[in-house]
Amino acid sequence: MLSIPSPDLGVAPGRLGVLRDIVAGLDSVVMGLSGGVDSSLLASVCRDVLGADRSLAVIARSPSLPSGELEAALDVAAAIGIETRVVDTDEVTDTRYAANPRNRCYFCRDELFGRLEAVAAELGFATVAYGEIADDAGDHRPGRAAALQHGVRAPLREAGLDKTAVRELARELDLPVWNKPAMACLASRIPYGDQVTEDKLQQVDRAERVLTDLGFRQVRVRHQGDAARIEVEPDDVAAVVEQADAVADGLRDAGFSHVTVDLDGYRQGSMNSSAGRRLLPLA
């Protein structure tokens, strides 16, 4: 299945020192931890530079969190040795978020950063931070507007670290998630303008578990009413087709009447339309 190539050593020479200097200047930090490579690298550096008493990782639990990701984030926090707190967020009950506009992520981040600010105020910590990287600056990132409004710091971006450099440093620091596939909240599988509901999120989660249980690592199941569009890495598309019966049966059990696989494979931000895509019906 998917194999992420090892990053080229030397991509980020000296960047770890830059990142450590930025974190040292934060004094004390409450940071959001998703368990992905970006936030895990930040957590590791915060714990190393600031120590256990001045660093805290906060994991947000909500219906939009894919199955297993809470446990995975707790595991990586334990491996790093950073103190951790789990908070429940209620973005799905926010009618602005549930309406699923193009800036949906703003309302999610606004909710999250408000919770992180409350924890920081409770503990007397100086700074709230999160794992935005340099690559994110040119992407559609409404959550960044929320970060700016809340005064949340992004040390990885400030250090000029892109995804390649982040993976390199994470591997050098022996973080177990250095090659973890990109992850996003379950709501990102629902086209903009279609209502986000807990039922839809659970349906997508069940469908994606079918594929991960079959051994696929990078998986998206795009929710299109009673139809599901599967995206996996391009090299894995043939394997999905080979297991078409098992995949189709599993996604029907998850609640989808029609199942297709995108022959062009996974790519970020493809939930809006199937126009121009090469889709193969599985059921």
Side-chain angles (χ1 to χ4, degrees):
M1 297 301 174
L2 172 65
S3 177
I4 298 176
S6 299
D8 294 329
L9 294 177
V11 170
R15 292 289 177 84
L16 181 57
V18 173
L19 177 60
R20 288 174 60 87
D21 288 344
I22 291 170
V23 169
L26 302 181
D27 183 70
S28 57
V29 63
V30 170
M31 59 150 295
L33 177 66
S34 68
V37 62
D38 302 333
S39 63
S40 296
L41 175 62
L42 179 58
S44 177
V45 174
C46 288
R47 172 62 178 85
D48 184 50
V49 172
L50 300 175
D53 294 337
R54 294 190 294 141
S55 59
L56 177 71
V58 174
I59 304 169
R61 175 173 52 199
S62 85
S64 64
L65 185 68
S67 288
E69 288 303 299
L70 174 61
E71 294 78 9
L74 289 169
D75 286 345
V76 75
I80 290 167
I82 191 169
E83 292 293 322
T84 308
R85 180 179 294 192
V86 177
V87 299
D88 291 303
T89 58
D90 300 321
E91 66 273 7
V92 177
T93 65
D94 184 336
T95 56
R96 300 167 300 173
Y97 175 94
N100 204 10
R102 288 191 62 83
N103 66 338
R104 177 197 66 239
C105 293
Y106 168 84
F107 303 109
C108 177
R109 291 293 189 179
D110 184 51
E111 165 85 1
L112 172 63
F113 295 145
R115 299 299 176 96
L116 297 183
E117 284 177 329
V119 173
E122 173 192 339
L123 300 176
F125 279 31
T127 307
V128 172
Y130 78 131
E132 182 186 14
I133 60 176
D135 293 349
D136 296 337
D139 200 359
H140 175 62
R141 298 279 175 171
R144 190 177 185 190
L148 292 172
Q149 289 181 6
H150 285 269
V152 176
R153 295 284 297 273
L156 301 177
R157 176 175 52 79
E158 294 169 26
L161 296 173
D162 61 12
K163 181 63 76 175
T164 300
V166 166
R167 289 198 186 278
E168 175 192 332
L169 293 178
R171 188 176 71 160
E172 291 179 354
L173 294 176
D174 292 324
L175 297 184
V177 295
W178 75 267
N179 66 343
K180 183 177 181 178
M183 183 57 66
C185 79
L186 294 171
S188 68
R189 282 62 151 170
I190 302 172
Y192 292 129
D194 287 3
Q195 192 82 3
V196 175
T197 67
E198 289 196 32
D199 285 345
K200 288 180 182 178
L201 297 174
Q202 291 170 6
Q203 187 179 9
V204 169
D205 195 33
R206 291 194 301 271
E208 292 190 352
R209 285 206 307 274
V210 170
L211 290 156
T212 56
D213 287 347
L214 288 171
F216 297 97
R217 295 187 67 208
Q218 185 75 79
V219 171
R220 298 290 186 272
V221 173
R222 307 298 183 183
H223 191 291
Q224 299 178 312
D226 63 352
R229 187 174 85 239
I230 297 169
E231 295 178 14
V232 295
E233 284 294 313
D235 289 345
D236 287 343
V237 170
V240 172
V241 176
E242 288 171 2
Q243 302 177 74
D245 289 343
V247 171
D249 288 346
L251 267 66
R252 277 194 293 256
D253 287 345
F256 291 104
S257 301
H258 307 286
V259 181
T260 62
V261 59
D262 190 326
L263 296 178
D264 294 318
Y266 164 75
R267 55 246 185 253
Q268 198 171 28
S270 65
M271 77 287 248
N272 295 314
S273 171
S274 61
R277 307 189 191 285
R278 299 186 303 150
L279 305 179
L280 177 67
L282 298 182

